[in-house]
Amino acid sequence: MAQIRPILDDDIRDIYFAPRIYGFPLNMSRMMPGTRKEGTLSSSFDHDLESVRCYKGDVLLEDCDIRAEYTVTEHCALYRFTYPDRECAFLRVSVKEPGHVSFSDGLVHGFEEHFGIRFSFAAVFSEEPAGVEDTPDGILIAFRPGICLTVKTGFSLIDEDQAMQNLKNETDGLPFDTACEKAQAVWDEALSRIEAAGGSEKQRRIFYTALYRVCQRMINISEYGRYFSPFDHKLHSDARPFYTNDGIWDTYRGAHPLQLLLEPARQSDIIDSYIRMYRQCGHMPTFPALEGSRPVMIGKHTTAMITDAYIKGLRGFDIEEAWKGMVHNEEKMTKLPWTLAPVNEYDKCYFEKGFFPALPEGCPESLPDAHPFERRQCVTVTLETCYDEWCLSRLGAALGKKEAAKYAARACNYAKVFNQETGFMSPRLADGSWVPGFDPKLSGGQGGRAYFAECNSWIYTLHVQHDIPGLTELMGGRDKLEAYLDRLFTEPCGTSKFAFLGQFPDATGLMGQFCMGNEPAFHIPYLYNYTASPWKAQRKLRELMRLWFDDTPFGICGDEDGGAMSAWYVFSAMGFYPTCPGRPEYDIGSPIFDKITLHLPESKTFVIEADGNSPRAKYIAQARLNGKEYGSTRLAHSDIVSGGTLWLRMSERPNKYGCT
Amino acid sequence: MAQIRPILDDDIRDIYFAPRIYGFPLNMSRMMPGTRKEGTLSSSFDHDLESVRCYKGDVLLEDCDIRAEYTVTEHCALYRFTYPDRECAFLRVSVKEPGHVSFSDGLVHGFEEHFGIRFSFAAVFSEEPAGVEDTPDGILIAFRPGICLTVKTGFSLIDEDQAMQNLKNETDGLPFDTACEKAQAVWDEALSRIEAAGGSEKQRRIFYTALYRVCQRMINISEYGRYFSPFDHKLHSDARPFYTNDGIWDTYRGAHPLQLLLEPARQSDIIDSYIRMYRQCGHMPTFPALEGSRPVMIGKHTTAMITDAYIKGLRGFDIEEAWKGMVHNEEKMTKLPWTLAPVNEYDKCYFEKGFFPALPEGCPESLPDAHPFERRQCVTVTLETCYDEWCLSRLGAALGKKEAAKYAARACNYAKVFNQETGFMSPRLADGSWVPGFDPKLSGGQGGRAYFAECNSWIYTLHVQHDIPGLTELMGGRDKLEAYLDRLFTEPCGTSKFAFLGQFPDATGLMGQFCMGNEPAFHIPYLYNYTASPWKAQRKLRELMRLWFDDTPFGICGDEDGGAMSAWYVFSAMGFYPTCPGRPEYDIGSPIFDKITLHLPESKTFVIEADGNSPRAKYIAQARLNGKEYGSTRLAHSDIVSGGTLWLRMSERPNKYGCT
């Protein structure tokens, strides 16, 4: 789920005003220091971006000559504004409709509603206001000139009293600088779980920025034993944290697997939260947000996320209840894109024939639940559904479910949309015939949405994460797979670049028809491990990391998507990647650091040493796992979590390492 | 003239195979070392890009394990291939049709034709071939395994004998390593004309890469006293170098003005070349190429380039003949985009009414010479034509031409397409009425081409380089201009980003409706110098340089366009820019280096010192020119070329410096 985004002043400003402590949503943009004149806030962002960190910010607001600093606690934001002594100091507190803000007894409190959810806040000042006046959208508070004003703001999803309570709990007597230190300590701990040694400073900056981003989701909305759930709009007490804000289509691939490695206990809370959501709203959300379950993207990959965790040994949640939710999603919910509705004709075709049906060219949509813009995406939906079913078959087998065999059979349905004549995954009409005149590069309209999700068949033909041997056989053998991959990375657009990107705006980070910028491509470079030339994976991965990731505001080549893009980088930079979540193993790529140390729970460490590593020496010439010669291109999850060392000798020349 | 480009393996490979010595086109991609197997060339580009320099390259061809080095002389390329000793060494020499290659007496010679122009070559080897065989597209030469083979190739636009002669003149007895040193010395001299001290290493890398690119055009195609002209397809003898390969629509803005500062004698030869082109083909080309005069883009800005040089004092060419060519272009050649043809109804409307006419919505094109894709671009053509006419008025006045007054009057025609009601430059029908329902953001179809060139009216409304006071008055005063600029940088797309970029694919480097990636926007940040807030120019320029220029393969945010984009960076990084070529002055921005030293002809130096400069300290607080307080935001060309020092005290806080 990628989208090209323009860099606007406002985007950058958002970065400033959104330092975030690991866990809770802080809407910090309502406090606006300035002069009496409206709309004068302007930050000097082209240098201060350098100093934006996870735990604090420091920016000169140039138009009004105010230094603005800010930091965070779990449910609060702290600001420190240093005003010039030329003129009266003002602080504007504005809210959007529906909302309210008022001032009494030295306390500002109020709320805003978004999607029917109330975001409450309460704020206190270190200085006595000189006056307060109402404005059309809030209040304007005056202070004497030249002050250094500390503002502490508590937030709550419950109510204003709780916002006040959060403020008290976390900031009473807490000096601004101490808050900075405490916030830094939280992030230091989070980021120190992976130690990267060697590589360039730029590579380390990209790497830790990426790790930081992966840590930003999901969000814990528990407030001292209670939480307001947007899934049933009720207040609940909780014994363990409640997490929301995720985009599973994106994050099942790398973000959740990475979090599972680094913080399994938190991942257990997250899965428990999903189970609570299922109880509260009747289905297992795939895009749970602050406002509830959103009908976004396709697939029911919460299944993949939970299966991956369970198969890798995670416990601490009600897997039987989770199973029910997954089966409900699979059997009772329609697979129509961007839709939350019961099964319909679209799904019945799949249940009967094993593929989701395309509409004939030019035929108006007959399904009332179909999203007019998102359309049917039927080939992708088939591929992603049978992947979910493969996950169900694995989990079902582990749980001793009789349905496991049914799902294992359905998991092969991907072959039903593979057209042997063209060698591409292709759409079929309900009668089983291939859509005539289908072009794997340009058919399907905007984003290919008649048949695919945001990318074309060049990408989706490789979207069989769970059965690469089966796909390889369909394609005619591993040399054919290799030739396809080689061609993918150089295949031209077949039309002008702007027409192509106009049609496929999410296919950013283009390299031939491969697009680094969107999730369906993430596992593709690793598929070289399943050919006679794993060294091509190593080369391509180094190239992709070097070309498409940077330590500037452009940083990444597509949407971050809640840590999904960054997780790809973190894994790939470490030298391994979960090609198929649900399978407890990783494909080995090419680490960019000399040494990676993963600090795992129970004081275990897993070390990857890349001996002789350099930008040129990117090929693995030899490998040893815990001192023993290692000949595989894959790494078992159990080998990582039990601790140990993968030693790699790196070379400038490709070799046949790992070819089997 | 910008276009988003994908990064493909092949693009990168082109970079390797195109090191170029200052001056002559070397087509180096025909030599392909490898194995007998076809299509195996593959370079290890993600590290070697680092080592690509202007004078040599060094790359490991990984598929076949061959080290390939290359360097250049003025008309020759030298390769050194180190083959593995495992198997027979091969060198493939292929040509495309129409073309020919043959081998005799140890010499390879041949040619290829492109656009009717013959590119001839001749090559010799340091080792005896073991065998030669014909292939469908050339020859395959075998050598014994493990050799280190030097290949010297001469090129010529005249014939194969001249290619051989060039090879002899430049490489006889020349060792490969000595050739590298000589090439390096040429570039060292070119790049040392500007010394940049301070700033980050990254900034210096970007800066010198940009300067290198500006130096790559135009191309001298003289060969030892003779040249083959693609403008009359005849062989000429020459007393001075003959240059071609330019895109004036792009390069008149910054590339030519920069070259004029650094190498006025070469610029004089360039203008003389344009005059020879005019004599040879009957008009003054705006996009002279290796194949002759190309009908590309709009405007007749060779006029601007020559006027700028003449007004700044450059001599050494037949200005009277140049004047004739410019007037011919202006009066006899149609201004229809991408067209080389005589004047027609389109131009008559301008001559009579002062604007180029739009077609009514949905009306089929009536002008036979109109380009079906490029359409009329009538508002832009009006704006760019009256700029050229302003140039003619200035040059005409300097030459004592009676037409000067006529052109001075026509130079005001931009006002005729300014719609006072909307505040935007807008299209008019031939009857003088405004095109109904015109939207300054989204009207005009692909690239806005019904009315504009590649960008929309948000950009083109500011495209009156030659009369900023007049434009400001039209807009309602300088506060209105400032408000327009402020809004330009934050104004959203008005549609989805992909729809916007699908319609305006050249509007890259977007920041609001401003686009750093295309030439019509280049002067816009400097327009803040004409408001009460020059500090906003300083802020925006630093921001643009930081966000949109990098030292990675992505480097720039739009087409390089023959040095145009890079020249903007070189000027802006130095702290000044030629907002209006034809006027002998520059707008002051914000230098990113502590000290810039321009080494000018006649041993003059001009120094810009930025005291206290840092990423934060980007605002000019105080200025002195040659020790005297300096209160202007503009710098005279004469002050630069006579040598001296501009001293600036930089500050973190904006001030009112230069506001008049």
Side-chain angles (χ1 to χ4, degrees), chain A residues 298-320:
Chain A
I298 56 176
K300 303 294 179 192
H301 303 316
T302 320
T303 294
M305 187 271 281
I306 297 175
T307 298
D308 187 52
Y310 192 84
I311 294 289
K312 286 174 179 168
L314 191 72
R315 298 294 182 271
F317 47 85
D318 185 345
I319 188 64
E320 289 294 335

Side-chain angles (χ1 to χ4, degrees), chain A residues 271-285 302-303 306 310 316-329 392 395 399 401:
Chain A
I271 294 174
D272 179 71
S273 302
Y274 268 101
I275 294 166
R276 280 185 271 171
M277 292 176 210
Y278 166 52
R279 290 197 182 112
Q280 290 165 9
C281 73
H283 66 272
M284 190 76 91
T302 320
T303 294
I306 297 175
Y310 192 84
F317 47 85
D318 185 345
I319 188 64
E320 289 294 335
E321 187 76 358
W323 171 263
K324 276 187 216 159
M326 297 179 207
V327 169
H328 174 86
N329 271 10
L392 285 171
L395 182 61
L399 297 176
K401 300 290 179 191

Side-chain angles (χ1 to χ4, degrees), chain A residues 46 62 65 550 619 653, chain B residues 62 65 550 618-619 653:
Chain A
D46 59 331
E62 297 177 340
D65 200 17
D550 205 349
Y619 296 110
R653 289 188 149 72
Chain B
E62 297 176 341
D65 200 18
D550 204 347
K618 61 196 165 196
Y619 295 111
R653 290 187 148 73

Side-chain angles (χ1 to χ4, degrees), chain A residues 563-575:
Chain A
M565 180 73 75
S566 287
W568 184 91
Y569 186 85
V570 172
F571 269 124
S572 296
M574 292 197 293

Side-chain angles (χ1 to χ4, degrees), chain A residues 84 126 191 233 235 405 434 609:
Chain A
S126 64
L191 299 181
H233 286 237
L235 195 60
W434 299 107
E609 278 186 66

Side-chain angles (χ1 to χ4, degrees), chain A residues 323-375:
Chain A
W323 171 263
K324 276 187 216 159
M326 297 179 207
V327 169
H328 174 86
N329 271 10
E330 205 54 34
E331 303 290 344
K332 305 295 183 194
M333 304 284 290
T334 183
K335 305 296 182 307
L336 276 171
W338 295 69
T339 304
L340 288 174
V343 289
N344 56 42
E345 292 301 316
Y346 185 64
D347 309 278
K348 281 181 193 148
C349 176
Y350 180 78
F351 293 142
E352 286 165 19
K353 302 179 183 172
F355 62 88
F356 289 89
L359 274 176
E361 190 76 31
C363 176
E365 183 54 74
S366 53
L367 301 168
D369 288 329
H371 190 291
F373 179 78
E374 296 296 340
R375 306 173 73 184

